[in-house]
Amino acid sequence: MSVMPLNLIKGTRSVAYERLENTEDIDEVEHQIENLKSKCKDGRPLSSKDRRNLQELEGKLQVLRRRGRHLDIAERNCCSKVGIALRPVKVSLHYEIGSCSQM
């Protein structure tokens, strides 16, 4: 078992799970942005702290949206689909190689 690579033992996170997490993060950041923008609806300017927070949140939102696009590409990638299908074969091959080297 010590011969097996760690990522085969540990496994990987699914793209669908990461997309769900990313969507939840986007919703949370958008909600925070709306809360900050609602402070200035009556015509008052935002404080410098709120402006800085708003800029940081907008930057974070851009990163999350970019990550979502990358996850879309990864989900459509045929190599990842083949890799998922062949995972049991990879595990059994590593197990066989490991047991042969211990003899």
Side-chain angles (χ1 to χ4, degrees):
M1 185 103 134
S2 64
V3 176
M4 293 179 71
L6 187 59
N7 64 350
L8 283 177
I9 296 169
K10 184 176 73 167
T12 57
R13 294 171 55 160
S14 71
V15 174
Y17 179 75
E18 291 207 23
R19 283 176 51 83
L20 177 64
E21 265 189 349
N22 194 57
T23 303
E24 289 172 351
D25 291 345
I26 287 174
D27 290 342
E28 180 182 327
V29 169
E30 285 177 340
H31 180 70
Q32 291 174 353
I33 288 173
E34 288 301 317
N35 284 344
L36 280 176
K37 286 184 176 181
S38 68
K39 287 183 177 181
C40 66
K41 285 195 178 194
D42 59 352
R44 292 181 303 177
L46 287 173
S47 67
S48 61
K49 178 184 173 187
D50 287 340
R51 279 194 308 263
R52 190 171 43 253
N53 285 341
L54 183 61
Q55 288 175 345
E56 288 175 8
L57 288 170
E58 287 173 342
K60 187 175 181 180
L61 185 61
Q62 285 180 344
V63 170
L64 289 170
R65 286 184 176 155
R66 186 179 320 126
R67 183 170 183 248
R69 288 191 301 272
H70 288 283
L71 289 171
D72 286 341
I73 292 168
E75 194 171 42
R76 291 187 304 238
N77 188 351
C78 67
C79 292
S80 65
K81 292 177 183 177
V82 171
I84 291 169
L86 294 178
R87 181 165 170 73
V89 175
K90 286 171 42 177
V91 171
S92 65
L93 280 176
H94 280 283
Y95 179 73
E96 291 296 323
I97 291 171
S99 63
C100 289
S101 66
Q102 292 177 358
M103 291 182 167

